[in-house]
Amino acid sequence: PQFHLCNESNWEESANNLNLALYMKADSTIIVRSLGVAEGKYPPYIPLYKNCHNRYQSIYLSTQATLSKIHFYELGLNNLAENQHMISVLANQFIGKTAIILGAGPSLDDQLPWIQANQDRLYIFAVSRLAKKLHRLNITPDFIVTVDPKIGSFYLGKEMFNFEEQSILINSYHSNPQLLSQWGGERLFIGQRYPWKTDNNNDGSAQTGSTVSNAALDSTIIMGFSQILLAGVDFCFDSKGYTHTSDTGAAIHQAPMVVSDTADKLVTNNYGETVETTFAFTIASEEFEKTASKLKKPHQTISNLSGSSIKMRGVEYTPKEQITLNTSSKTSHPIIPKQPLEQYYKNCLQELKEA
């Protein structure tokens, strides 16, 4: 074991001399608060830790992004057989309709009775890890969204197979192959089919964020929904210190305020309260509000039903009691254009040969 003593101005240089990036790529680094920082008895320690921690997280995310990009491209090519239809095949087909995105944040529990009562008038987009919870509550999502390439997403979301006949799967081009290959229902994907410039990438749209909630927002905007509601899209801790809704893998094993990414960042929620969040949630919420404020169409509104969710530009806080829904029920199941698989596979092989 080695111990290196550094200060705020030279720790990064010293860490680079020790191949910090190599350890980060192996996911073998951690930043630990001393007792002095944790207890906060010496005031200068707190801003010192925050500055160092934020810089560490920036370096880590940059390193992982470079590594992940290559990995994502490999997964995208591996998923070619599944990534036949881009999300754009349903572009602007839901003008005048209401969609609701169900994230796995802790505020979801408070909204579920209202969602149950109104599900016939809502097009429900649910993150895959909610499948077990929704199945138990007899809530059928119209769309299930998954983006995570890791095998953990398969184990957390495998109950989504209960909805194969009723739901459409929306997956990122780099989603977990084991999960995609076993899905027997209809599917759409978001992102680029090939990791190079080609006309065969021009029939879809780029993914604007890194999380499953971001992918769901991209999808609802592209499909043209006029009213987009959010439930459980929190990006921050709740008053009890949880980051995920009950009956999901993260909440079952997570004690309050105990997470691997303790960024100690303070943000404002829709109630105007100051609450804590993590560095990863901060990045995701910034991506989300950028999409919400810049990419939504003139006829679209985006509203969060929860006051305990993080406040974001482009997203209004509207309690469920103030939401107006269409009096008529949803129309028939969306129709995805059919293309002979054999022809699609031939097109893929031709593209690969020319690359």
Side-chain angles (χ1 to χ4, degrees):
Q2 298 182 35
F3 182 82
H4 296 263
L5 186 62
C6 309
N7 57 42
E8 185 178 6
S9 63
N10 69 2
W11 74 266
E12 189 175 337
E13 180 182 357
S14 298
N16 288 334
N17 290 337
L18 296 169
N19 294 317
L20 175 64
L22 185 63
Y23 287 99
M24 284 183 165
K25 288 179 179 178
D27 213 12
S28 298
T29 61
I30 187 172
I31 187 166
V32 181
R33 288 183 292 183
S34 68
L35 288 176
V37 173
E39 294 180 2
K41 292 184 177 180
Y42 183 56
Y45 277 172
I46 298 175
L48 173 63
Y49 171 77
K50 287 184 176 180
N51 290 339
C52 291
H53 186 275
N54 288 341
R55 181 56 188 155
Y56 168 86
Q57 289 285 11
S58 296
I59 298 170
Y60 178 81
L61 289 177
S62 177
T63 303
Q64 291 296 317
T66 301
L67 184 67
S68 298
K69 189 174 292 185
I70 297 173
H71 181 50
F72 287 173
Y73 290 159
E74 291 175 347
L75 287 169
L77 292 174
N78 191 58
N79 290 335
L80 266 180
E82 320 299 338
N83 293 340
Q84 182 181 9
H85 297 296
M86 287 187 173
I87 193 74
S88 57
V89 300
L90 295 182
N92 297 321
Q93 291 195 20
F94 296 90
I95 295 175
K97 306 298 182 181
T98 298
I100 186 166
I101 298 173
L102 307 188
S107 71
L108 177 64
D109 289 333
D110 294 334
Q111 313 300 335
L112 285 173
W114 183 84
I115 294 168
Q116 282 180 303
N118 292 283
Q119 64 177 311
D120 288 341
R121 295 187 288 170
L122 296 166
Y123 285 89
I124 299 174
F125 289 69
V127 302
S128 58
R129 73 186 307 149
L130 291 175
K132 181 178 181 180
K133 185 183 185 78
L134 298 181
H135 188 253
R136 179 175 57 81
L137 294 173
N138 292 318
I139 296 176
T140 301
D142 298 279
F143 301 90
I144 299 174
V145 190
T146 181
V147 303
D148 195 340
K150 297 178 181 178
I151 188 62
S153 66
F154 174 83
Y155 296 112
L156 279 175
K158 60 185 179 181
E159 281 80 7
M160 73 183 201
F161 297 119
N162 291 315
F163 297 111
E164 278 185 331
E165 295 183 4
Q166 306 103 319
S167 306
I168 295 175
L169 177 66
I170 298 176
N171 62 271
S172 169
Y173 73 96
H174 57 64
S175 294
N176 178 259
Q178 288 92 331
L179 192 67
L180 299 191
S181 61
Q182 295 191 47
W183 178 258
E186 292 185 296
R187 74 177 84 224
L188 298 168
F189 83 98
I190 193 164
Q192 293 190 325
R193 184 178 285 120
Y194 301 101
W196 53 76
K197 286 187 177 181
T198 169
D199 291 341
N200 288 320
N201 279 340
N202 292 338
D203 56 343
S205 73
Q207 207 170 309
T208 63
S210 56
T211 72
V212 65
S213 297
N214 295 93
L217 179 62
D218 289 336
S219 301
T220 55
I221 290 175
I222 292 169
M223 292 183 188
F225 286 97
S226 296
Q227 183 171 227
I228 301 169
L229 308 178
L230 311 178
V233 182
D234 295 343
F235 297 125
C236 60
F237 293 103
D238 70 356
S239 59
K240 296 179 181 179
Y242 286 97
T243 58
H244 288 78
T245 185
S246 62
D247 300 329
T248 60
I252 292 171
H253 300 294
Q254 175 206 323
M257 302 302 289
V258 179
V259 292
S260 58
D261 176 15
T262 53
D264 294 332
K265 184 169 179 64
L266 298 179
V267 294
T268 302
N269 65 18
N270 286 323
Y271 286 138
E273 302 168 334
T274 300
V275 294
E276 288 190 296
T277 191
T278 67
F279 192 88
F281 278 159
T282 300
I283 298 298
S285 65
E286 290 172 351
E287 293 172 338
F288 197 96
E289 70 176 3
K290 183 178 180 180
T291 301
S293 59
K294 293 186 176 182
L295 297 184
K296 69 179 177 183
K297 300 162 186 174
H299 73 280
Q300 294 179 318
T301 61
I302 303 175
S303 302
N304 201 319
L305 304 183
S306 174
S308 61
S309 301
I310 192 171
K311 184 177 180 63
M312 294 182 285
R313 286 182 295 108
V315 178
E316 297 294 327
Y317 165 47
T318 310
K320 55 183 176 292
E321 294 80 9
Q322 299 177 19
I323 296 296
T324 301
L325 298 175
N326 292 332
T327 55
S328 58
S329 298
K330 291 180 292 190
T331 55
S332 58
H333 191 71
I335 298 176
I336 298 176
K338 300 298 182 182
Q339 176 188 5
L341 270 177
E342 183 179 356
Q343 183 59 48
Y344 170 68
Y345 294 152
K346 286 181 178 179
N347 293 342
C348 289
L349 288 173
Q350 183 63 34
E351 179 69 36
L352 293 173
K353 288 179 181 178
E354 295 176 357

Short mmCIF file of all heavy atoms in Angstrom, two decimals, residues 30 85 103 159 192 253 340:
data_model
loop_
_atom_site.label_atom_id
_atom_site.label_comp_id
_atom_site.label_asym_id
_atom_site.label_seq_id
_atom_site.Cartn_x
_atom_site.Cartn_y
_atom_site.Cartn_z
N ILE A 30 -12.20 5.34 -5.30
CA ILE A 30 -13.25 5.83 -4.42
C ILE A 30 -12.72 7.05 -3.69
O ILE A 30 -11.53 7.14 -3.39
CB ILE A 30 -13.70 4.74 -3.41
CG1 ILE A 30 -14.91 5.23 -2.61
CG2 ILE A 30 -12.55 4.34 -2.49
CD1 ILE A 30 -15.53 4.16 -1.74
N HIS A 85 -36.88 -1.11 -35.89
CA HIS A 85 -37.74 0.07 -36.04
C HIS A 85 -37.32 1.17 -35.08
O HIS A 85 -37.28 0.97 -33.87
CB HIS A 85 -39.20 -0.29 -35.77
CG HIS A 85 -39.76 -1.29 -36.74
ND1 HIS A 85 -39.90 -1.03 -38.08
CD2 HIS A 85 -40.22 -2.55 -36.54
CE1 HIS A 85 -40.42 -2.08 -38.68
NE2 HIS A 85 -40.61 -3.03 -37.77
N GLY A 103 -41.17 7.30 -13.53
CA GLY A 103 -39.82 7.02 -13.09
C GLY A 103 -39.84 6.26 -11.78
O GLY A 103 -40.90 6.07 -11.18
N GLU A 159 -39.52 -8.80 -15.05
CA GLU A 159 -40.98 -8.93 -14.94
C GLU A 159 -41.71 -8.22 -16.07
O GLU A 159 -42.91 -8.37 -16.23
CB GLU A 159 -41.46 -8.38 -13.59
CG GLU A 159 -41.25 -9.32 -12.42
CD GLU A 159 -39.81 -9.30 -11.90
OE1 GLU A 159 -39.03 -8.44 -12.39
OE2 GLU A 159 -39.47 -10.12 -11.03
N GLN A 192 -28.80 5.75 -32.59
CA GLN A 192 -28.35 5.43 -33.94
C GLN A 192 -28.13 3.94 -34.11
O GLN A 192 -27.60 3.28 -33.22
CB GLN A 192 -27.05 6.18 -34.24
CG GLN A 192 -27.23 7.69 -34.33
CD GLN A 192 -26.01 8.38 -34.87
OE1 GLN A 192 -24.90 7.96 -34.62
NE2 GLN A 192 -26.21 9.45 -35.63
N HIS A 253 -32.89 -2.47 -0.87
CA HIS A 253 -31.57 -2.66 -0.29
C HIS A 253 -30.94 -1.35 0.19
O HIS A 253 -29.85 -1.37 0.72
CB HIS A 253 -30.64 -3.32 -1.33
CG HIS A 253 -31.13 -4.66 -1.78
ND1 HIS A 253 -31.21 -5.75 -0.94
CD2 HIS A 253 -31.61 -5.08 -2.98
CE1 HIS A 253 -31.69 -6.79 -1.61
NE2 HIS A 253 -31.95 -6.41 -2.84
N PRO A 340 -40.49 -6.84 -43.83
CA PRO A 340 -40.03 -8.24 -43.79
C PRO A 340 -38.65 -8.32 -43.13
O PRO A 340 -37.72 -7.60 -43.50
CB PRO A 340 -39.98 -8.63 -45.26
CG PRO A 340 -40.95 -7.71 -45.94
CD PRO A 340 -40.86 -6.42 -45.19
#
